[in-house]
Structures are given as C-alpha cells and as structure tokens.
Amino acid sequence: MDWHCINFKRGGAHEAEAADLVLALEDAYGSAGEPPAAEVFLAHGRVGDYAFYLSPEAASMAPSVLQRFHAVTCDPPEDLHRCTPMIL
C-alpha cells in the first residue's frame, strides 16, 4: 500500500475537521490493535496550511478514514525529519 496525504487549508472549519481526523485515526489505531508500524506525521505548509501524512501501515488500518477525509496517494514527505510525528 502507498503513503497517503490529507491536506487542510487554513480556516476555522478545517480546524474542527482536522480534530475529527485525529479522533478517527486514534479509533482506527485502537481497533487495529495498535500496529507499531502505523505512523502519522503532520507537516506545515504555506501560511497556516498543513497536511497529515499516513504511512502505508497507517493507511491500511483506516480505509474508511481515508475515504471520509479525501486522502490522496503520495510519496512520503521528503523532509520527514521536519514533520511532527503524531501519537495515536
């Protein structure tokens, strides 16, 4: 499976949607038995834009989350060391 990305543009409504995404990922992680290779990273973009990157293992544990939040397949971020790892 591929890496997936979920992008958010700055703005009030997207803050709540991002919080819903984190809760959905936490639920999926717990339901999947907390797979150790499942990783999610937060990257900041231009002036308030940000993106969540899901490793292949994280994406495979949460197909409904990918669909709900319109995830797209992508390459892993080139600057992964600059991304914030999410604790699920």
Side-chain angles (χ1 to χ4, degrees):
M1 189 159 205
D2 297 316
W3 278 75
H4 283 74
C5 180
I6 301 170
N7 293 297
F8 289 93
K9 302 290 184 193
R10 68 181 163 149
H14 294 291
E15 299 289 326
E17 192 176 5
D20 288 344
L21 168 62
V22 171
L23 291 174
L25 288 170
E26 288 174 348
D27 288 345
Y29 182 69
S31 295
E34 300 182 3
E39 297 179 297
V40 178
F41 297 91
L42 175 63
H44 295 279
R46 298 185 201 171
V47 191
D49 295 346
Y50 51 97
F52 289 87
Y53 287 92
L54 286 74
S55 70
E57 294 81 4
S60 69
M61 74 174 190
S64 63
V65 174
L66 298 179
Q67 183 178 11
R68 176 178 167 197
F69 290 95
H70 311 289
V72 295
T73 57
C74 64
D75 292 325
E78 291 181 17
D79 57 350
L80 189 60
H81 65 282
R82 289 187 169 183
C83 297
T84 304
M86 304 289 300
I87 297 176
L88 301 173

